[in-house]
Amino acid sequence: GTFMDLPNGLKRCNPCSTCDSGAGLKVKRQCEITTDTVCEPMEGFYCTDLKSGGCSVAQKHRSCEPGHYISRMGYRVKTDCTEFRSTICQSCSDGTYMDLPNGLKRCNPCSNCDSAGLKEKQQCVITADTVCEPMEGFYCTDLKSGGCSVAQKHRSCEPGHYISRNGTASTDTECSECSSGSFSDGTMLSCQPHTQCEKENLHLIKAGTASTDAECGGKSYTTTGIVIGVLFLVIFLLVAAAIVVVLWKTKKIKIPSELEKNCS
């Protein structure tokens, strides 16, 4: 546990040094009576204080922050001289990003929103990828990092159905079937009741279906109405004839002589 590496007049040998793993050091060469322990940096550390062909102080390699990557020069230093140099980071170039601490040599390429139904919500920056969102009339089917990577068009309700719930950016349109006596062409938010032609005194030309309204024609006259009209006409004619006869008998109306002879 002691050594003496130089001629001396000392009464005691020097205590062997230790390589503290908690400080990023490990034993490179064991202590002998003529040489002290030689330490070296552990994996992931580099030496900041050289001592007698070894290392007395080590420091952990830095992680590149978001928006940076390990440059080519830094990568070479890490492989060739990891014991004595720290990682060197370089900012991502346009069109690339890095959103996590890393040990990568290249930044990730920015995503685009070229897929059908997508538009750009947030531009790509060196620390975050592009964020896409669904266009109007589409909804997201694959969420990705607070955005959307795949979108699909909202369904269209078929005739005979109505829109029971409008589609959103995250949900599809919901359709429901019309009940009997109502209709919808598929674009309505609720089914509409069929027009009652009889109640509007109109002829029914074509009955309504689940997708179309009833078709009505001109005004409808009922048999009862016609009968009443005829009766009024007959009564009017009878009354008029009776008045003529009464006036004739009272001589208030002169009848031509020829007509009178014929009547007598």
Side-chain angles (χ1 to χ4, degrees):
T2 61
F3 76 97
M4 185 59 67
D5 54 351
L6 294 172
N8 65 89
L10 300 175
K11 298 179 180 179
R12 293 182 181 178
C13 293
N14 300 314
C16 293
S17 300
T18 58
C19 302
D20 186 2
S21 60
L25 294 174
K26 65 179 180 179
V27 175
K28 180 179 181 181
R29 188 172 65 234
Q30 293 286 347
C31 181
E32 299 176 357
I33 60 173
T34 57
T35 57
D36 191 10
T37 307
V38 177
C39 302
E40 65 179 352
M42 296 173 63
E43 185 69 25
F45 289 78
Y46 70 100
C47 188
T48 58
D49 189 2
L50 298 174
K51 176 186 176 183
S52 303
C55 181
S56 60
V57 180
Q59 187 171 331
K60 193 172 184 178
H61 287 140
R62 64 183 291 197
S63 293
C64 291
E65 297 177 357
H68 297 75
Y69 70 102
I70 298 174
S71 69
R72 181 64 60 182
M73 180 176 65
Y75 180 75
R76 287 199 303 269
V77 169
K78 181 179 179 181
T79 54
D80 296 337
C81 306
T82 53
E83 295 178 341
F84 310 111
R85 290 288 298 272
S86 179
T87 305
I88 298 175
C89 301
Q90 182 172 321
S91 178
C92 292
S93 59
D94 290 342
T96 63
Y97 76 98
M98 185 59 67
D99 55 352
L100 295 171
N102 67 92
L104 302 176
K105 302 175 189 177
R106 295 181 181 178
C107 295
N108 301 314
C110 293
S111 302
N112 55 57
C113 303
D114 293 340
S115 299
L118 291 178
K119 64 179 180 179
E120 190 174 278
K121 179 181 180 181
Q122 181 178 308
Q123 284 189 336
C124 182
V125 293
I126 61 172
T127 56
D129 193 11
T130 308
V131 177
C132 304
E133 65 180 351
M135 297 172 64
E136 187 70 25
F138 289 76
Y139 71 102
C140 188
T141 57
D142 189 2
L143 297 174
K144 176 187 176 184
S145 303
C148 182
S149 59
V150 180
Q152 187 171 328
K153 193 171 185 178
H154 288 142
R155 65 181 292 193
S156 296
C157 295
E158 297 179 357
H161 296 74
Y162 69 98
I163 301 171
S164 54
R165 180 175 293 180
N166 281 316
T168 66
S170 58
T171 60
D172 196 7
T173 302
E174 293 183 14
C175 305
S176 297
E177 191 174 359
C178 289
S179 59
S180 177
S182 62
F183 74 98
S184 171
D185 60 3
T187 64
M188 300 177 178
L189 296 177
S190 63
C191 295
Q192 302 300 310
H194 290 140
T195 300
Q196 300 296 314
C197 299
E198 296 81 1
K199 290 184 178 180
E200 298 185 15
N201 201 26
L202 297 173
H203 284 298
L204 175 64
I205 297 176
K206 187 177 181 181
T209 66
S211 59
T212 60
D213 193 10
E215 293 184 24
C216 303
K219 287 187 176 297
S220 174
Y221 297 96
T222 62
T223 303
T224 303
I226 294 173
V227 171
I228 292 174
V230 171
L231 286 175
F232 271 112
L233 179 60
V234 170
I235 292 171
F236 173 78
L237 292 175
L238 290 174
V239 170
I243 292 173
V244 170
V245 170
V246 170
L247 292 176
W248 172 68
K249 287 185 176 182
T250 58
K251 303 299 183 178
K252 289 184 178 181
I253 296 178
K254 291 184 178 181
I255 299 176
S257 56
E258 292 182 2
L259 182 60
E260 187 175 359
K261 288 180 180 180
N262 292 333
C263 290
S264 58

